[in-house]
Amino acid sequence: MMGLEYFSFGDLWSPAFMIFMMVIVVLYTFVVGPWRHHFAGSAPVSASRQLTFALAIALLYLTQGGPLSLLGHLMFTFHMTNMALAYMLVPPMLIYGIPDWLWRAAFGGDFWKKKIFRVLMNPIIGLLAFVMLFSLYHMPSNHDWIMTHFTIHRIYYALLFLSAMAMWWHVYCPIPEWRRMSHMLTLGYIFMSGLLLTPACVMIIFAGKPLFGVYNDPEVWAKAMGYCVSGDPAQLLSQFEGPKFFNMMSATDDQQLGGIVMKLLQEGINVAALYTVFMQWYRRDRSRDKDSVLEPAAE
């Protein structure tokens, strides 16, 4: 399927990473289950939250070490799909899946009061950090350089994920007293995140030629592939002659489709976030109105 049959089980599924992610899910299950009594203020975690967490870890695995990760080295469309899933869908799922009492145990006490942490968790810094990291990464020369330097690639992806978590934290903050924006500001925050990412997507969609050597230049592609598959990269060139072997479209069409997919997924996720935040705002105000009606009039 789409050329995946040419790669080994290890190349497709990254067994070590798979085991690591499975361990995380198992530990989470024990922490929110039989071990939760060791945490102050703990309460049962609903099945929907536990399922959301498990699905988030599964998506993160598939996009960073599973078949989708390998496909992301073969076609730009899959690369952008992975970016949307890993950095725009997984973070809010993780924030929702982890209960408030576990967040308090991890980051409560004096940790939240530290100046450096409060600065880094400023909503504006979180938003700008993610937008800048995402946009700089998709400048053609930066993208090819990062993709062909393994250590830099891993560090950059880790920073992208942390900045994405920081950005989405302010949208779905599970701790009321840690929330730093009103619901109205949060709606504007979500809108701005989509607006600021638009230039990078537009550049990709409307480029009249292939921008990224990883998906167009056989030598650059082979070097990038050398970090995600076993064997000699030179054998990849002799066997497949470059990324065109796996791509059903021209490099330009693949690039444009990738930009469109990224923008559509981002806007869909943002619309869902806008709806969720608005409904939280609406329910809170309705609850306050009901409380004021039920209060006895002062004599």
Side-chain angles (χ1 to χ4, degrees):
M1 177 184 175
M2 307 189 75
L4 294 181
E5 66 271 14
Y6 295 101
F7 299 96
S8 68
F9 176 85
D11 296 336
L12 283 172
W13 297 99
S14 304
F17 188 55
M18 179 194 294
I19 293 172
F20 174 74
M21 300 303 269
M22 291 173 66
V23 168
I24 290 178
V25 174
V26 171
L27 284 175
Y28 168 84
T29 303
F30 276 96
V31 168
V32 302
W35 295 350
R36 68 178 175 84
H37 299 291
H38 296 286
F39 298 88
S42 64
V45 179
S46 66
S48 63
R49 282 182 179 267
Q50 295 188 48
L51 180 60
T52 300
F53 181 89
L55 287 175
I57 294 297
L59 281 175
L60 190 61
Y61 159 71
L62 289 173
T63 57
Q64 301 300 313
L68 286 177
S69 176
L70 181 56
L71 284 170
H73 285 73
L74 304 179
M75 290 181 63
F76 186 74
T77 298
F78 283 104
H79 165 76
M80 294 303 272
T81 302
N82 290 345
M83 296 293 288
L85 295 177
Y87 304 115
M88 296 181 184
L89 183 59
V90 167
M93 291 175 69
L94 288 177
I95 292 170
Y96 173 76
I98 298 175
D100 57 348
W101 51 265
L102 191 53
W103 284 116
R104 293 179 194 275
F107 298 106
D110 294 334
F111 187 85
W112 183 256
K113 298 177 182 178
K114 292 181 179 178
K115 186 175 181 180
I116 182 64
F117 185 71
R118 291 189 62 82
V119 170
L120 290 175
M121 288 302 293
N122 182 283
I124 301 300
I125 290 179
L127 174 60
L128 292 180
F130 177 74
V131 170
M132 288 181 63
L133 285 170
F134 180 89
S135 300
L136 288 173
Y137 178 52
H138 288 98
M139 294 178 64
S141 57
N142 293 343
H143 178 273
D144 291 340
W145 185 76
I146 292 170
M147 289 285 283
T148 53
H149 291 78
F150 180 77
T151 302
I152 299 298
H153 180 264
R154 292 302 184 193
I155 293 174
Y156 203 95
Y157 270 40
L159 290 175
L160 257 177
F161 185 74
L162 289 174
S163 65
M165 287 291 294
M167 181 183 72
W168 283 105
W169 175 267
H170 299 291
V171 177
Y172 293 109
C173 182
I175 313 296
E177 62 269 27
W178 293 359
R179 178 177 287 275
R180 301 179 69 171
M181 295 190 299
S182 66
H183 286 90
M184 180 179 290
L185 285 176
T186 304
L187 294 175
Y189 189 80
I190 298 168
F191 176 79
M192 283 300 299
S193 70
L195 186 64
L196 292 174
L197 285 174
T198 297
C201 294
V202 169
M203 177 196 74
I204 293 168
I205 294 170
F206 292 101
K209 62 179 181 179
L211 299 175
F212 306 102
V214 171
Y215 303 98
N216 184 53
D217 186 326
E219 295 291 338
V220 179
W221 172 77
K223 186 174 181 181
M225 287 292 289
Y227 294 121
C228 65
V229 300
S230 57
D232 185 359
Q235 293 181 351
L236 292 173
L237 284 178
S238 63
Q239 186 176 0
F240 304 119
E241 299 181 356
K244 291 183 180 180
F245 179 88
F246 301 96
N247 206 327
M248 301 176 292
M249 300 173 286
S250 68
T252 302
D253 289 342
D254 177 35
Q255 181 176 283
Q256 291 175 338
L257 179 59
I260 292 170
V261 167
M262 175 67 187
K263 192 58 183 172
L264 289 177
L265 287 174
Q266 179 218 356
E267 292 300 333
I269 293 168
N270 280 1
V271 167
L274 287 169
Y275 173 79
T276 301
V277 172
F278 178 80
M279 291 306 296
Q280 289 175 347
W281 187 10
Y282 174 76
R283 293 190 188 105
R284 187 199 65 178
D285 286 351
R286 283 289 301 274
S287 177
R288 287 181 177 177
D289 290 342
K290 289 180 180 179
D291 290 342
S292 64
V293 170
L294 292 174
E295 288 178 359
E299 296 181 359

